[in-house]
Amino acid sequence: MRSIRLWAAACLAALLTGCAPKQEVNPICSGTIWPDDQGVHVNAHGGGVLYHEGVYYWYGENKSDTTSNAMVGVMCYSSPNLTDWKNEGVALAVEKNDTASDIVQGCIIERPKVIYNEQTKKFVMWFHLELKGQGYGAARSAVAISDTPVGPFRYIGSGRVNLSRLPFDMTDEQKAILDTLDAAHYPVEWTPEWRKAVEEGLFLKRDLPGGQMARDMQLFVDDDGKAYHIYSSEENMTMQIAELSDDYLSHTGKYTRMAAGGMNEAPALFKHKNTYWMITSGCTGWAPNEARMFSAPSIWGPWTQHPNPCVGPKSEITFGGQSTFVLPVPGKQDTTYIFMADIWRPEHPSDARYIWLPIQFKADGTPVIEWKEQWTLN
Ligand code: GAL
């Protein structure tokens, strides 16, 4: 009898908790300090988010107080709801002692992104790597792999991209022009002639033997499981979009150029109702500038430029930030797309802030990003 009473009491308690008002969802406040589970500001800059088995994993650059160089590596934070973040520690650590390593402490690791490969069941991280002591000259892409989302990721290697390959969609006419391009014809940079030659592939041609440069980058996995690497190439003058192999660990050699000569950085890509959208920034280093937006019916283009998607105060400088990722969050009725950007603080890199804003869509499908002091995901 006693056990029945206990059981009934337990059921009643469960019922009551089940009916209790839902826990308040925390608002998202861009530009403020975002404390993690230890009360410390999230340190995951230039980041991206992976949703895996009910948990969001946020990966980003660990920035120290005095330098933007990589002193720690790539951080991982996890969350069930996108507002409560648990510090999962260093997902990919820099090498402290091995000075021969590409990722020795003091190198530059930027814009890490992680995707999950359904076939191999591995988590694959790509990031922009600059070798220690070489400024931004190396312009390499690096890859690492892990069995679990939180790591530790094992560093595989780095290099330039798509050696000796021409874009798959270059026409014979474009190839003929490329043949004639010669840096010696343009002793002075930034002249209209030089800009035209850059647009036509001056740097692409220069880099054929060693591979294409790749700096600010993004990864995108399409509905069919194919993954793409999108990066600022050709001295940051032209974007390239390259296909990754089925295991996501290398490039297949198939790539296209996008917005040739347009000087785009910080690409963030998403697909909405069969249209591919890309938000980028201009090239002004850590200083914010006006966001750009492009759309295409296929990842391979043709890409069309649209006006700045941002509206509201400081929309002409992306609210003081620079794009880093767009996160689709499936909801009860619709998917919410979150535009993620970084407010850099080069004089105090770890104090850089985050902008997360919902993307709204006009009746014709065009994305709009409106500044909101705070908003709630529900
Ligand atoms: C930005 C770029 C950042 C970082 C910075 C260095 O334009 O988006 O990732 O490379 O330049 O100045």
Side-chain angles (χ1 to χ4, degrees):
M1 185 63 186
R2 187 162 179 270
S3 63
I4 291 177
R5 249 184 274 135
L6 276 178
W7 175 79
C11 283
L12 186 66
L15 204 68
L16 285 177
T17 12
C19 299
K22 267 182 64 203
Q23 215 196 333
E24 275 296 307
V25 193
N26 289 323
I28 295 179
C29 307
S30 295
T32 62
I33 290 284
W34 288 13
D36 65 8
D37 58 327
Q38 295 154 24
V40 178
H41 184 46
V42 171
N43 198 339
H45 310 276
V49 175
L50 171 73
Y51 183 62
H52 185 74
E53 292 179 351
V55 179
Y56 293 94
Y57 296 93
W58 177 358
Y59 304 89
E61 307 159 18
N62 176 295
K63 294 244 183 249
S64 71
D65 294 343
T66 52
T67 171
S68 274
N69 291 7
M71 307 309 285
V72 173
V74 177
M75 299 298 294
C76 177
Y77 292 80
S78 68
S79 173
N81 56 14
L82 292 168
T83 51
D84 296 305
W85 291 101
K86 175 176 179 228
N87 185 344
E88 298 283 359
V90 185
L92 176 76
V94 293
E95 289 287 348
K96 295 260 162 61
N97 302 314
D98 180 2
T99 51
S101 166
D102 294 349
I103 56 165
V104 67
Q105 193 174 49
C107 68
I108 294 174
I109 290 179
E110 285 181 346
R111 300 187 177 269
K113 302 290 177 291
V114 174
I115 51 180
Y116 177 65
N117 190 299
E118 292 282 354
Q119 288 171 34
T120 62
K121 310 282 177 218
K122 303 279 186 201
F123 297 83
V124 177
M125 178 191 292
W126 282 89
F127 55 94
H128 164 206
L129 174 70
E130 297 293 349
L131 301 176
K132 186 178 178 181
Q134 298 185 22
Y136 278 85
R140 288 196 191 187
S141 298
V143 61
I145 192 167
S146 169
D147 292 330
T148 66
V150 297
F153 280 75
R154 179 173 60 82
Y155 178 70
I156 297 179
S158 74
R160 290 276 179 98
V161 177
N162 288 327
L163 273 68
S164 310
R165 298 283 192 143
L166 286 178
F168 81 100
D169 49 358
M170 211 174 209
T171 63
D172 288 343
E173 198 186 330
Q174 288 168 329
K175 284 180 196 163
I177 294 172
L178 196 73
D179 273 344
T180 67
L181 296 178
D182 183 347
H185 298 161
Y186 313 98
V188 185
E189 294 187 345
W190 302 105
T191 62
E193 302 73 40
W194 177 86
R195 293 242 10 194
K196 184 159 176 284
V198 167
E199 211 178 301
E200 291 167 340
L202 185 65
F203 295 129
L204 172 116
K205 182 179 176 181
R206 180 198 69 188
D207 291 340
L208 282 172
Q212 299 299 311
M213 304 174 92
R215 293 201 182 108
D216 279 11
M217 57 148 278
Q218 189 57 253
L219 297 179
F220 177 74
V221 181
D222 211 335
D223 304 329
D224 60 2
K226 275 215 172 303
Y228 301 88
H229 179 206
I230 301 101
Y231 49 93
S232 278
S233 192
E234 306 176 35
E235 302 288 355
N236 295 358
M237 298 298 288
T238 294
M239 237 25 178
Q240 293 184 358
I241 301 174
E243 186 184 67
L244 293 180
S245 55
D246 287 346
D247 60 9
Y248 301 168
L249 296 177
S250 61
H251 294 79
T252 63
K254 180 175 180 181
Y255 73 100
T256 189
R257 302 173 79 218
M258 185 253 173
M263 302 179 74
N264 286 282
E265 284 192 325
L269 208 89
F270 63 104
K271 192 177 177 179
H272 181 246
K273 298 197 169 144
N274 289 323
T275 296
Y276 296 78
W277 292 94
M278 194 190 298
I279 297 172
T280 66
S281 74
C283 300
T284 51
W286 302 116
N289 56 53
E290 187 173 49
R292 292 104 177 264
M293 183 167 71
F294 303 83
S295 73
S298 150
I299 189 98
W300 301 122
W303 289 90
T304 308
Q305 187 161 2
H306 300 262
N308 175 10
C310 301
V311 296
K314 294 208 278 177
S315 58
E316 72 293 351
I317 51 164
T318 320
F319 318 116
Q322 187 183 27
S323 42
T324 183
F325 198 73
V326 172
L327 173 66
V329 183
K332 283 200 191 82
Q333 274 149 32
D334 243 331
T335 298
T336 302
Y337 291 78
I338 304 181
F339 170 72
M340 296 168 48
D342 298 283
I343 302 175
W344 301 114
R345 295 260 198 278
E347 67 295 342
H348 186 177
S350 61
D351 190 39
R353 306 296 171 89
Y354 309 104
I355 294 175
W356 285 22
L357 295 168
I359 299 180
Q360 292 156 282
F361 293 91
K362 289 193 209 162
D364 69 357
T366 310
V368 179
I369 307 168
E370 198 183 336
W371 173 256
K372 291 180 192 308
E373 267 330 305
Q374 65 168 64
W375 62 285
T376 311
L377 243 180
N378 44 31

